[in-house]
Amino acid sequence: MPRPHVALLLSLVAAYGFSNFPGGLDPYLLDVLTGIGINIILAVSLNLVNGYTGQFSLGHAGFMSVGAYLSSAVSLFVAPKLVGELSAAGPVTQGAVFLAALVTGGFCAALAGLLVGVPSLRLRGDYLALVTLGFGEIIRVIFQNIEVLGGALGLNAIPASTSLVWVLAVAAVTVFVVHCLVESTYGRGFLATRDDEIAAAAVGLNPTRYKIVAFVVAAFFAGVAGGLYAHFKLTITPTGFDFTRSIEIVVMVILGGMGNAVGVILAAVLLTVLPEVLRPIAEYRMILYSLLLVLLMLLRPQGLFQFPARRPRG
Amino acid sequence: MAELLRLEQATIRFGGLTAVNAVDFAVNEGELCGLIGPNGAGKTTVFNLITGVYAPTSGRISFGGRDLRGLGVDDIVALGIARTFQNIRLFGSLSVIDNVRAACNLHRTTAPGHALLRLGAFRRDEAAIAARANELLEIFNLGRFRDAPARSLPYGEQRRLEIVRCLATRPRLLLLDEPAAGMNPTEKVELIRLIQQVRRQFNLSILLVEHSMRVVMGCCERIAVLDYGVKIAEGTPDQIRADPKVIEAYLGEDHGSSLAHH
């Protein structure tokens, strides 16, 4: 079996073992771990766009909200019609419904990614950042005005289907997919697009297509992360997915060192844990958090976990 | 000799400026041609027309009998035209071997989805591409830099890597944009050898834009001269050297005297 598949299988088994920890996990710890898992999915998928493909998307929270809303809609409105009362159904049915909800959320987010990506990915750098920023705001306003989806109040009483094993399993799959895509001859095209679009076209690659693929794949996983988030928090509002949430994910990617898979995962862990660790200092928390970010950027602009490239041999 | 590339009355205007004006030119199968002219004569613009960066305002460009109009830059590469750039454009952060591997995408035998499944077909494909890339690097003496980031290479090696990367797309026509820029006389002699080796070993045609008369006169079989976007002469190196219009175009510049010396 290929190495990435072995790693995926092992991490799925580990995720299962970990979430069935003997004696159960402390609820607070469970909360933090779930947050870490969701942030890993978000950061690793955004890394495909902002890191490997060298684009600058600020719309990840927007795609997350599409997934959150649509998967919740499946659980709340569609599933009861198909399988009846969810709490009365067996665990397999519940699992299948949840999987369907997550995948629906992911595909809707991917579709949104395609719609935003096709016209805007011809643009470069700052322009794309602005377009995706605009998208995030538009999607928020749209959800605020859809009465069926709760309007400004959002949705609540979403079934609590998210468990740690789901989150960790999806995180493992995200890491696997991004890794496999990038570590292939096809995937060299993402990196080539980042380094020099003109040169990429000159060796027969289509930079726009690569950017769209990266964008759509990332949006899919953001949507799934949104679904996991919704079924974990049990209530979602449009404002929960605003621009600052997108920034948070971008910071994880930058801090991890753009295009550095392990670094981005570590950064996602660090930035989820940091606000928790800083909780005792209450109102100074966000000040210190911001200060730490500024310091990290000044001291390690290449990313916290980025190390010098290998020297040429000979 | 069969005709490979053909420009018929190729013209491009940028606003009021006619950068390339009604140029007729052809490159035959296996031929090594040069395109010269003073600064700003439109040489690189001709390359940009051939490779689809710009669409001609009027006129026609065909390759192997096929009209290139409406094709994207990457489609034209797939047809078999590869180019280098005046200011080297490598994938700087990628390793030397990955620069070549990225250029092998046109000849992948498996779809992108196989990267996730990683079945036997995918692994065979990847192995074949890696082998091909390694072979190319060895031929051009770049094997020892295999894992180094491309941007860390010395200048001459970067130029060579750019040519190797072109060859990975399996071109039938290679366009070289001022490959001798910034080279000293010894390096130029080496470059002439390299260009001839590439043509022989890979059985392709080459069109060369170049300022260095030593290089152009040293290896081209046929030369076209551009001045202000117009083709003012075409012929063998000897004919070009003796052409009064060419000498006039270069007159007052150092090129005039260097032209006479060769």
Side-chain angles (χ1 to χ4, degrees):
Chain A
M1 205 157 66
R3 272 223 317 251
H5 291 70
V6 175
L8 176 66
L9 210 66
L10 286 178
S11 38
L12 289 179
V13 171
Y16 184 76
F18 192 58
S19 22
N20 291 287
F21 203 66
L25 287 166
D26 172 54
Y28 172 66
L29 189 62
L30 201 65
D31 208 272
V32 175
L33 285 173
T34 308
I36 288 176
I38 290 174
N39 278 340
I40 288 178
I41 302 169
L42 290 165
V44 169
S45 57
L46 186 67
N47 190 30
L48 181 61
V49 177
N50 288 28
Y52 292 119
T53 320
Q55 306 306 304
F56 199 87
S57 166
L58 274 175
H60 227 45
F63 297 120
M64 190 186 171
S65 72
V66 173
Y69 268 95
L70 272 297
S71 64
S72 303
V74 170
S75 298
L76 288 173
F77 311 130
V78 183
K81 290 199 178 110
L82 295 177
V83 296
E85 195 57 44
L86 207 55
S87 50
V92 176
T93 315
Q94 283 186 6
V97 167
F98 187 40
L99 185 64
L102 288 181
V103 172
T104 308
F107 274 118
C108 292
L111 187 68
L114 191 67
L115 292 177
V116 179
V118 168
S120 60
L121 283 169
R122 289 164 201 282
L123 308 172
R124 282 172 206 207
D126 316 346
Y127 303 103
L128 181 69
L130 282 178
V131 171
T132 50
L133 178 68
F135 158 77
E137 291 305 294
I138 289 169
I139 207 77
R140 189 170 58 79
V141 174
I142 289 179
F143 283 131
Q144 246 160 20
N145 287 288
I146 299 183
E147 284 308 316
V148 194
L149 294 178
L153 294 175
L155 289 173
N156 46 46
I158 301 164
S161 312
T162 299
S163 62
L164 188 57
V165 65
W166 275 100
V167 173
L168 295 182
V170 174
V173 170
T174 312
V175 174
F176 167 81
V177 168
V178 171
H179 172 85
C180 281
L181 269 184
V182 172
E183 289 294 322
S184 68
T185 298
Y186 170 74
R188 288 291 173 275
F190 294 109
L191 310 177
T193 301
R194 172 191 67 193
D195 276 12
D196 192 328
E197 277 184 39
I198 292 172
V203 298
L205 305 170
N206 184 333
T208 307
R209 195 175 306 155
Y210 269 102
K211 287 191 271 183
I212 291 173
V213 169
F215 211 62
V216 169
V217 171
F220 175 83
F221 283 108
V224 175
L228 289 166
Y229 176 83
H231 291 79
F232 170 62
K233 292 287 179 191
L234 314 187
T235 165
I236 49 174
T237 56
T239 44
F241 306 96
D242 64 354
F243 154 73
T244 48
R245 187 80 179 92
S246 288
I247 295 279
E248 239 177 82
I249 309 166
V250 171
V251 169
M252 288 172 195
V253 174
I254 295 175
L255 203 62
M258 308 256 235
N260 174 342
V262 179
V264 168
I265 295 171
L266 290 176
V269 175
L270 184 73
L271 287 186
T272 322
V273 171
L274 199 57
E276 299 300 326
V277 175
L278 297 178
R279 219 174 259 287
I281 56 170
E283 57 264 41
Y284 298 107
R285 185 164 73 123
M286 287 328 278
I287 298 177
L288 193 65
Y289 176 79
S290 319
L291 208 63
L292 278 173
L293 286 185
V294 172
L295 279 178
L296 284 170
M297 281 299 109
L298 286 176
L299 299 175
R300 292 205 55 93
Q302 73 275 49
L304 204 49
F305 307 101
Q306 189 82 283
F307 301 103
R310 269 176 291 177
R311 290 256 172 77
R313 276 188 282 159
Chain B
M1 263 192 295
E3 200 174 80
L4 193 59
L5 176 79
R6 178 171 195 86
L7 278 72
E8 288 165 80
Q9 296 289 303
T11 303
I12 184 164
R13 286 189 202 92
F14 299 107
L17 175 81
T18 308
V20 174
N21 195 354
V23 169
D24 285 312
F25 186 64
V27 178
N28 295 321
E29 207 97 55
E31 207 177 12
L32 211 166
C33 295
L35 188 60
I36 62 171
N39 277 326
K43 307 181 294 289
T44 298
T45 310
V46 168
F47 269 22
N48 285 336
L49 284 172
I50 298 172
T51 53
V53 175
Y54 304 135
T57 315
S58 65
R60 184 173 180 271
I61 299 169
S62 56
F63 182 70
R66 180 168 174 182
D67 195 340
L68 298 184
R69 180 166 288 276
L71 293 181
V73 174
D74 48 318
D75 301 322
I76 291 176
V77 182
L79 286 180
I81 303 180
R83 75 174 290 184
T84 64
F85 294 88
Q86 205 171 335
N87 46 339
I88 312 173
R89 283 180 171 269
L90 291 170
F91 306 126
S93 74
L94 296 194
S95 66
V96 167
I97 182 105
D98 279 345
N99 266 269
V100 184
R101 277 179 66 195
C104 289
N105 261 296
L106 284 173
H107 304 286
R108 260 190 297 118
T109 54
T110 52
H114 280 267
L116 297 182
L117 298 173
R118 309 214 156 208
L119 303 175
F122 172 80
R123 276 175 282 169
R124 276 192 299 278
D125 192 18
E126 292 286 300
I129 287 168
R132 172 92 184 124
N134 273 320
E135 187 193 328
L136 281 171
L137 289 181
E138 289 306 329
I139 293 175
F140 292 95
N141 220 351
L142 287 166
R144 67 205 159 105
F145 297 110
R146 198 177 172 277
D147 298 312
R151 72 160 71 93
S152 74
L153 258 55
Y155 182 78
E157 270 75 18
Q158 291 198 14
R159 282 254 173 241
R160 227 167 40 230
L161 176 57
E162 209 187 14
I163 295 177
V164 172
R165 194 180 61 179
C166 284
L167 294 173
T169 67
R170 299 190 197 161
R172 293 164 68 198
L173 172 66
L174 185 58
L175 307 177
L176 301 175
D177 199 347
E178 292 202 31
M183 286 188 173
N184 64 36
T186 330
E187 288 171 326
K188 283 180 187 173
V189 173
E190 238 172 84
L191 179 73
I192 295 175
R193 236 191 347 248
L194 176 76
I195 291 172
Q196 283 164 341
Q197 180 202 351
V198 166
R199 175 173 61 152
R200 234 186 3 259
Q201 203 163 351
F202 294 86
N203 191 28
L204 40 74
S205 316
I206 295 176
L207 178 59
L208 185 68
V209 158
E210 190 47 71
H211 265 305
S212 162
M213 288 304 150
R214 184 197 292 267
V215 173
V216 177
M217 297 294 169
C219 65
C220 293
E221 287 143 9
R222 200 154 51 81
I223 297 170
V225 187
L226 282 185
D227 193 22
Y228 294 108
V230 180
K231 188 177 85 176
I232 56 168
E234 184 181 338
T236 63
D238 285 330
Q239 288 168 334
I240 293 299
R241 250 184 298 238
D243 194 308
K245 271 196 282 188
V246 178
I247 294 168
E248 196 192 315
Y250 276 98
L251 208 65
E253 291 186 44
D254 289 345
H255 295 295
S257 56
S258 72
L259 202 63
H261 279 129
H262 283 282

